[in-house]
Amino acid sequence: MGLLYSEPYQVPFYETDVNHNMKLPQLLSLALQVSGRHSLKLGVSDEAIFEQYGLVWVITDYHLDIIRLPRYAEKIRIETEAISYNRLFCYRNFYIYGEDGDKIMTIFSVFVLMDFETRKVHPVVEDIVSVYESEKIKKAIRGPRYKALENASDTLYHVRYFDLDMNGHVNNSKYLEWMFEVVDFDFLKGHVPKTIDLKYVKEIHYGSDIVSRVETFDKTTKHEITADGAVHAQAIIEWQEKE
Amino acid sequence: MGLLYSEPYQVPFYETDVNHNMKLPQLLSLALQVSGRHSLKLGVSDEAIFEQYGLVWVITDYHLDIIRLPRYAEKIRIETEAISYNRLFCYRNFYIYGEDGDKIMTIFSVFVLMDFETRKVHPVVEDIVSVYESEKIKKAIRGPRYKALENASDTLYHVRYFDLDMNGHVNNSKYLEWMFEVVDFDFLKGHVPKTIDLKYVKEIHYGSDIVSRVETFDKTTKHEITADGAVHAQAIIEWQEKE
């Protein structure tokens, strides 16, 4: 187990969906921000590792367990710890606590260090990760096997100016938006995710036409985001009826 | 002049655009949130006036003067005051201060109270606005005259699930996104807005197909957001080269 770091947050109106819950893409962005401040506090900020090593952190996988989502105006707490790492991957958990103090979500995430110039994964640097006091492990923690979708329905999206972040790539949180967007609106109004597995495969750039593909099996949806015929992200979402 | 209220804010990565500036739609959402907390502090929160009067605040107009936009990771301060009001309209300013303490933006905004049930504008209620200590005036402060666009180029957008807020209406900040989106990408990479006039005319609901219309005159763009042939928002943006 690594050092714990946490921050309070109150869910604003403009991050609230029609179900009066916090929009999940916003919550993932916020969690990433909190991990950034965790790193800053420990002296290994994004800027520092970029300047010293030319490396940037990239998220490759998420697994979310959701009891319930944060609600409008709720005062939540986001706690995070870098739990373990191996030669290539770093594993970090986020725990979301509701205003009543109960743990309402766990977000497991996989990070890699990427060489900014070559865009290739770089082996974990001990001097960067040692400060988190996380455990070094031999094994890789495997996510689910994502099978190629065979009978998906396809919806075309264009990458927009405000989808891009500072690096000119589509912001991570947009992929989940495109995935939700192709689920039936009335279903979305009656359900919230229970578990989400999400895998980022390739970056997406401005000008790309992307296809959001979905297959629906009762309370499970399977997703692919493709561009030019290649898969850029995959997800499996299990849904539960909203409270 | 009304009572001043201010809050600090640090611009996160996921609210930063390709120019390393804060995304303007996010800044407008944030400003609205700050004014909400101003009201809360004075005992006239959104919830309180909804419960007591069945009224909600709605923004009808913006005028922005921009020296520069907040930058990535910059620690800014957002100051606001309810400056004046007349029988129907309330006028509020937001001042954005950069990390160096200089005023970098002024956002003038026009609010009305809307009856939540009838969706009609309600005359200003003295008991609600008196706490802001703003000046009562007779005259209405007029924005620019927005002429109908005649040679606009049109781009179709679909309203998305995450575009909606808690009330099931398209969030105010989305309109500006649709307006920016139809401006040439290379132009956006080299320019930032200098002034923006923005007028909200009608609400937009889920399922609507909207058209973002634009006419370009050198360093000025004129915009309309239409749905089913009716104008829902209008804007005039004057651009300046980025620093």
Side-chain angles (χ1 to χ4, degrees):
Chain A
M1 309 296 268
L3 292 176
L4 289 170
Y5 174 81
S6 83
E7 288 189 13
Y9 190 73
Q10 185 170 18
V11 181
F13 177 81
Y14 57 88
E15 290 181 356
T16 309
D17 68 19
V18 289
N19 290 328
H20 297 208
N21 290 324
M22 184 167 182
K23 293 177 180 178
L24 196 52
Q26 311 284 343
L27 184 57
L28 291 185
S29 291
L30 174 67
L32 193 58
Q33 187 72 6
V34 170
S35 75
R37 283 192 288 260
H38 183 196
S39 298
L40 175 66
K41 193 185 164 206
L42 295 174
V44 286
S45 70
D46 291 352
E47 283 182 352
I49 66 165
F50 178 69
E51 279 169 25
Q52 199 171 347
Y53 301 96
L55 300 174
V56 293
W57 286 113
V58 174
I59 289 192
T60 64
D61 296 82
Y62 278 117
H63 174 81
L64 284 74
D65 285 301
I66 302 166
I67 296 169
R68 67 170 179 84
L69 292 167
R71 301 188 185 104
Y72 168 57
E74 185 173 3
K75 288 173 179 162
I76 61 172
R77 191 162 58 85
I78 302 137
E79 186 178 66
T80 185
E81 59 172 338
I83 44 175
S84 60
Y85 66 100
N86 55 36
R87 202 178 69 85
L88 287 180
F89 300 101
C90 295
Y91 305 107
R92 179 183 280 278
N93 271 350
F94 298 90
Y95 312 103
I96 313 295
Y97 295 90
E99 195 155 341
D100 52 13
D102 290 349
K103 191 188 286 183
I104 59 173
M105 288 178 62
T106 302
I107 303 169
F108 169 78
S109 59
V110 183
F111 285 76
V112 294
L113 286 165
M114 190 178 71
D115 185 301
F116 186 76
E117 289 303 326
T118 66
R119 313 306 288 174
K120 286 193 176 146
V121 173
H122 189 281
V124 170
V125 177
E126 289 285 345
D127 282 349
I128 295 176
V129 300
S130 62
V131 294
Y132 300 107
E133 299 187 14
S134 57
E135 187 189 1
K136 183 163 188 177
I137 58 177
K138 288 264 164 76
K139 276 180 67 174
I141 302 176
R142 302 268 173 217
R145 285 192 58 198
Y146 298 90
K147 289 182 192 156
L149 302 189
E150 286 175 357
N151 296 298
S153 79
D154 293 3
T155 307
L156 182 70
Y157 290 97
H158 302 283
V159 174
R160 299 180 181 178
Y161 178 71
F162 282 119
D163 296 343
L164 304 179
D165 61 26
M166 248 165 54
N167 302 323
H169 305 131
V170 171
N171 191 281
N172 266 359
S173 66
K174 287 304 298 183
Y175 295 69
L176 200 58
E177 285 191 42
W178 289 324
M179 289 170 178
F180 268 63
E181 218 52 62
V182 294
V183 176
D184 178 72
F185 182 68
D186 288 323
F187 184 86
L188 286 178
K189 284 208 292 186
H191 294 80
V192 290
K194 188 177 175 208
T195 64
I196 298 181
D197 288 286
L198 175 56
K199 184 178 197 59
Y200 296 106
V201 183
K202 274 186 206 163
E203 293 167 343
I204 301 179
H205 298 263
Y206 182 79
S208 299
D209 286 341
I210 74 98
V211 178
S212 181
R213 316 188 68 218
V214 62
E215 278 182 15
T216 305
F217 308 87
D218 191 27
K219 292 283 169 79
T220 303
T221 51
K222 297 187 177 183
H223 300 264
E224 281 176 4
I225 302 296
T226 65
D228 299 324
V231 173
H232 287 246
Q234 295 167 295
I236 301 170
I237 307 179
E238 214 186 314
W239 300 84
Q240 57 191 329
E241 280 176 34
K242 80 172 186 195
E243 293 166 324
Chain B
M1 309 299 268
L3 292 177
L4 288 170
Y5 173 81
S6 82
E7 289 188 14
Y9 190 73
Q10 185 170 19
V11 180
F13 177 80
Y14 57 89
E15 291 180 356
T16 309
D17 68 17
V18 289
N19 290 328
H20 297 208
N21 290 324
M22 185 167 181
K23 292 176 180 177
L24 197 51
Q26 311 284 342
L27 184 57
L28 291 186
S29 291
L30 175 66
L32 193 57
Q33 186 73 5
V34 170
S35 74
R37 285 192 287 260
H38 183 196
S39 298
L40 175 67
K41 192 186 165 204
L42 295 174
V44 286
S45 71
D46 291 352
E47 283 181 353
I49 66 165
F50 178 69
E51 278 169 27
Q52 198 171 349
Y53 301 95
L55 299 175
V56 293
W57 286 113
V58 174
I59 290 192
T60 64
D61 297 83
Y62 278 118
H63 175 80
L64 284 75
D65 285 301
I66 303 166
I67 296 170
R68 68 169 178 85
L69 292 166
R71 300 188 184 104
Y72 168 58
E74 186 172 4
K75 288 174 179 163
I76 61 171
R77 192 161 58 86
I78 303 137
E79 186 178 66
T80 185
E81 59 172 338
I83 45 174
S84 60
Y85 67 100
N86 55 38
R87 202 178 69 83
L88 288 179
F89 299 102
C90 295
Y91 305 106
R92 178 182 280 278
N93 271 349
F94 299 90
Y95 312 103
I96 313 295
Y97 295 91
E99 196 156 339
D100 52 14
D102 289 350
K103 190 188 287 182
I104 59 173
M105 289 178 62
T106 302
I107 303 170
F108 169 79
S109 59
V110 183
F111 285 75
V112 294
L113 285 165
M114 189 177 72
D115 185 301
F116 186 77
E117 289 303 325
T118 66
R119 314 306 288 175
K120 287 193 174 145
V121 173
H122 190 280
V124 170
V125 178
E126 289 285 345
D127 282 348
I128 295 175
V129 300
S130 63
V131 294
Y132 300 106
E133 299 187 14
S134 57
E135 186 189 2
K136 183 162 188 177
I137 58 177
K138 289 263 163 78
K139 276 179 66 174
I141 301 175
R142 303 269 173 215
R145 285 192 56 198
Y146 298 89
K147 289 182 193 158
L149 302 190
E150 287 174 358
N151 295 298
S153 78
D154 292 4
T155 307
L156 182 70
Y157 291 97
H158 302 283
V159 174
R160 298 180 181 178
Y161 178 72
F162 282 118
D163 295 343
L164 304 178
D165 61 27
M166 248 165 52
N167 301 322
H169 305 131
V170 171
N171 190 281
N172 266 357
S173 66
K174 286 305 298 185
Y175 296 69
L176 200 58
E177 285 191 41
W178 290 323
M179 290 169 176
F180 269 63
E181 219 50 62
V182 294
V183 176
D184 178 71
F185 182 69
D186 288 323
F187 184 86
L188 286 177
K189 286 209 290 186
H191 294 80
V192 291
K194 188 178 174 205
T195 64
I196 297 181
D197 287 286
L198 174 57
K199 183 177 196 61
Y200 296 106
V201 183
K202 275 188 204 159
E203 293 166 345
I204 301 179
H205 299 263
Y206 182 78
S208 300
D209 286 339
I210 74 97
V211 177
S212 181
R213 316 189 68 218
V214 61
E215 278 182 15
T216 305
F217 308 88
D218 190 26
K219 292 283 169 79
T220 303
T221 53
K222 297 186 177 182
H223 300 264
E224 281 177 3
I225 302 296
T226 65
D228 298 324
V231 173
H232 287 246
Q234 295 167 293
I236 302 169
I237 307 179
E238 215 187 313
W239 301 84
Q240 59 191 326
E241 280 176 34
K242 80 172 186 195
E243 293 166 323

